Every structure is written in structure tokens, then in C-alpha cells.
DNA sequence: TCCATGAGTTACGAATTGGTACCTACTGGT
DNA sequence: ACCAGTAGGTACCAATTCGTAACTCATGGA
């Protein structure tokens, strides 16, 4: 769906995780998935308020992409005003483990880096 | 390192997997990591030949980014011509599991989709 | 003497990205 | 009568991205 994919589309067919990473990679995608996971099904406006800073355009586009990949379901109720609820599909939930593991690794690295910085700072202070 | 990060940097601090996904997300990043994982430490040119279609500029930039994140180590020998070898660090190898799982999910989805398409095609043929 | 190699760097340029502002249609509140 | 909220769509515009082509430096080979 992006030009990038078209651009080297043939090569990327060889790597199955490429597709999935491309899906997760949008700047806001992880926030959206994270919010849908932790706060459950939500309406468009709710989601937009939670994912602070995102524009309606971007949110729409990301949700459409996720919907196209069957990671998110869109339930439209033609009430007035209309009510559109987004939720994770089964596929969306299949990513829970991996995202959890990634978050864990991310946090571990963050902690390690912080410890390293602290140690270095202490070292500097001692040398001074 | 990207403007994207600067752009909503404060918000992204709340999500630890965001950093890590941003690292993996570059169009070529997974190929590079995959190649380093499966073919072991390699020199720049070797890597460039394996990751078909990548430009030297991109490869350099991606490797620098990965190096900055301590996922890849760069060993430079100042011989003539110079010899630069890249390999996964311990941190780089910590992603093996997750990437493996992602690849597995990706392949499963691909297979499911293919099965679905086949079923649909058969249905069409039967109806015809 | 000219070319190729290895590992890049730099300049340029076209395409893509993503934000802002404005539009829709409908209704309920003041 | 006017404004706000819902769920977007659209046009425009600036910035970013990524590819291409040219350049680097030093040496060994034809």
C-alpha cells in the first residue's frame, strides 16, 4: 500500500516478517494497538483523545490499514450521530505476545542503559 | 534520529516498544538483521550483495543506526583496501526469538490467506 | 596509464509523508 | 440562530525520504 512496498516488492516477498513489521511500523500504529489492547474496543473520538497528538487524517488512515490487514475490526452503527467502534480482531490479539515481549525487551534495555549511565556518572564524580 | 521521533518525542517515551519498533521498521532493517543472523558476520560488500537492491547509502545509514542502538557491531580494519565486518551484538541476538516469532506469525497468516483465496476460487468455480 | 576494489560520503532531485485548515451531514442544547 | 460533537473526506503545503550519480583514497593488476 505504500510506494516503498511497490518499490522493492519482489524482494520483500522472501521475508515474511517484513510484511508484519511494515504493518506495525507506522509512527502511531503501536499506540493504537496498545490502546485497543489495554482499554478495549473504543470509538474513533475516544481513541483519538487517547493517542494524544494524532490527527484525524492519520488515525483514519492507520485504522484503515490495520483493518485491511485484519488486525482491527470496524463496527459502524448508522445512528445519528454515527457511532464507529474499533476493536482488535483475533489476529490483532495474536500479536499480544510478541508486542509484550518487545515491550519487555525495550524496558530491559532502557533499564540497562539507565544503569550504565548512572555508573558512568558515578565514575565521573569519583574521578573528579 | 528521525524527525518523527522529535515530533512526538514526549509521547513516545511512554511506550517502550515504540523505540524498538522504530529501530526494526526501516524498509531494509529486517533483511540486514536476518542476513547477519543466518549468514553470520559479514563485510559491507557481502551484505550489500545479499540484501538485493539496497543502495550503499541506505545500507550505511541503516548499519549506523543499528550500531547506535547497539544491535550491530562494526569492526574496522584499516588495511588497504579497508575491511569492515558487521556482526550482531548480544543485544542483536536478543531479538532472534521475537523476530522468529514474527516470521512464524507472518508465514502462518500468509498460509491462511492463501488457503482462503484458494477456497474462494474453488467456490467461484463451483458456482460457475 | 587506466581501471577496479572496498567502504563509504556528498549533492541533487523526485516522490512520499503527514500536518493544517476546511468541508460534509445531522441533531441536541442554549 | 448558533455552536458543539461525531466520523470522517479533501485540498494544499512543507518537510522528509530514498535513490542515483559522482566523488574519495590508496593500492594492485593489465
Amino acid at each position: 500500500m505504500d510506494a516503498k512496498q511497490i518499490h522493492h516488492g519482489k524482494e520483500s516477498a522472501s521475508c515474511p516478517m517484513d510484511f508484519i513489521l511494515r504493518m506495525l511500523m507506522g509512527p502511531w500504529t503501536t499506540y493504537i494497538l496498545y490502546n485497543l489492547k489495554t482499554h478495549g474496543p473504543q470509538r474513533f473520538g475516544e481513541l483519538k483523545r487517547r493517542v494524544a497528538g494524532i490527527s484525524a487524517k492519520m488515525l483514519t488512515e492507520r485504522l484503515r490499514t490495520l483493518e485491511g490487514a485484519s488486525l482491527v475490526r470496524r463496527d459502524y452503527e448508522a445512528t445519528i450521530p454515527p457511532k464507529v467502534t474499533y476493536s482488535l480482531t483475533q489476529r490483532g490479539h495474536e500479536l499480544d505476545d510478541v508486542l509484550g515481549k518487545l515491550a519487555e525487551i525495550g524496558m530491559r534495555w532502557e533499564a540497562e542503559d539507565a544503569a550504565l549511565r548512572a555508573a558512568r556518572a558515578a565514575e565521573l564524580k569519583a574521578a573528579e
Side-chain angles (χ1 to χ4, degrees), chain A:
Chain A
M1 93 234 4
D2 299 335
K4 269 174 225 158
Q5 271 141 299
I6 293 159
H7 189 255
H8 56 289
K10 268 162 208 162
E11 289 84 31
S12 63
S14 61
C15 188
M17 72 184 147
D18 210 64
F19 156 79
I20 213 166
L21 280 171
R22 237 177 262 287
M23 195 53 49
L24 302 178
M25 93 190 180
W28 305 98
T29 315
T30 54
Y31 295 120
I32 296 169
L33 291 176
Y34 177 80
N35 268 295
L36 285 177
K37 183 190 160 189
T38 58
H39 298 282
Q42 280 165 82
R43 299 178 56 184
F44 184 87
E46 233 175 316
L47 208 47
K48 179 157 159 30
R49 252 168 274 126
R50 280 232 178 75
V51 182
I54 198 171
S55 65
K57 180 187 165 190
M58 250 289 104
L59 184 52
T60 305
E61 197 230 337
R62 291 281 102 202
L63 285 171
R64 289 291 189 287
T65 302
L66 290 169
E67 200 196 343
S70 303
L71 296 182
V72 158
R73 181 186 21 244
R74 179 174 185 269
D75 293 304
Y76 179 78
E77 278 179 75
T79 57
I80 284 171
K83 194 170 178 175
V84 181
T85 308
Y86 291 94
S87 53
L88 288 181
T89 60
Q90 208 184 351
R91 271 202 182 178
H93 280 298
E94 284 180 53
L95 292 174
D96 286 359
D97 279 7
V98 178
L99 290 181
K101 200 153 271 180
L102 273 179
E104 184 218 299
I105 292 178
M107 285 190 292
R108 182 151 40 80
W109 288 358
E110 221 175 296
E112 283 169 15
D113 289 352
L116 212 72
R117 274 195 304 275
R120 237 183 263 138
E123 210 173 296
L124 264 175
K125 211 168 189 177
E128 185 192 317

